[in-house]
């Protein structure tokens, strides 16, 4: 699977691209997300499907595309309209808390995507689809 991660040096970004052959390599890439220097990891399964994991420090947003449909992972435990500042792709944005998931859930979803090469449709992942 092809992957990329941003690498910020001040206002300059040097994206790193690499191949992922194992779950350990995937975890190494995801563990680099710190919400500061590394804020976005893209996983590309095919020309028709990808998953983006953004954020760091225990707060992540996941979004993907598959066959022209957009998927946003939802936090099933969220019951508030509160917005949270999160650095994704080198820019701080306000994200509704319903889109922010834990590191554990972000990793589980990314691992399922890596294994299945598609957006995981298991019931443990709740997606907003459009």
């Amino acid at each position: 699977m092809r992957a990329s991660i941003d690498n910020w040096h001040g206002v300059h970004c040097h994206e790193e691209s690499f191949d992922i052959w194992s779950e350990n390599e995937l975890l190494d890439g995801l563990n680099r997300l710190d919400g500061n220097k590394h804020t976005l990891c893209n996983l590309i399964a095919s020309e028709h499907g990808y998953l983006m994991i953004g954020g760091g420090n225990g707060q992540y947003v996941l979004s993907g595309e598959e066959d022209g449909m957009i998927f946003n992972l939802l936090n099933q435990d969220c019951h508030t309209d509160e917005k949270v500042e999160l650095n994704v792709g080198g820019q701080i944005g306000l994200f509704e808390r319903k889109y922010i998931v834990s590191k554990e859930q972000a990793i589980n979803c990314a691992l399922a995507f890596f294994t299945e090469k598609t957006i995981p449709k298991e019931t443990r992942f709740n997606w907003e689809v459009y």
Side-chain angles (χ1 to χ4, degrees):
M1 178 173 290
R2 195 78 183 139
S4 65
I5 191 166
D6 59 358
N7 188 351
W8 290 93
H9 300 278
V11 298
H12 301 285
C13 180
H14 302 284
E15 187 175 276
E16 301 172 26
S17 295
F18 49 95
D19 290 316
I20 296 177
W21 298 101
S22 70
E23 289 184 358
N24 284 337
E25 289 176 321
L26 174 61
L27 292 173
D28 288 344
L30 294 175
N31 283 325
R32 293 175 64 191
L33 292 175
D34 61 7
N36 186 27
K37 184 175 180 177
H38 305 290
T39 66
L40 184 63
C41 180
N42 295 303
L43 304 176
I44 303 160
S46 71
E47 66 182 62
H48 303 288
Y50 65 84
L51 182 68
M52 298 184 303
I53 304 96
N57 287 331
Q59 297 188 97
Y60 302 85
V61 293
L62 282 79
S63 182
E65 183 177 356
E66 188 172 89
D67 296 324
M69 298 185 73
I70 304 295
F71 293 79
N72 293 314
L73 187 61
L74 295 172
N75 180 341
Q76 297 178 28
D77 298 325
C78 179
H79 306 289
T80 178
D81 291 335
E82 175 189 10
K83 293 187 178 179
V84 176
E85 277 189 5
L86 193 60
N87 188 349
V88 175
Q91 294 217 314
I92 294 177
L94 288 176
F95 292 84
E96 291 180 53
R97 187 160 291 284
K98 72 179 182 178
Y99 297 116
I100 298 175
V101 299
S102 67
K103 183 174 185 175
E104 177 183 6
Q105 188 163 19
I107 286 174
N108 287 338
C109 187
L111 285 169
F113 182 80
F114 175 75
T115 301
E116 300 167 22
K117 309 294 188 268
T118 185
I119 300 289
K121 311 294 190 306
E122 304 158 34
T123 57
R124 65 183 170 144
F125 304 116
N126 187 18
W127 297 98
E128 175 183 79
V129 182
Y130 56 96

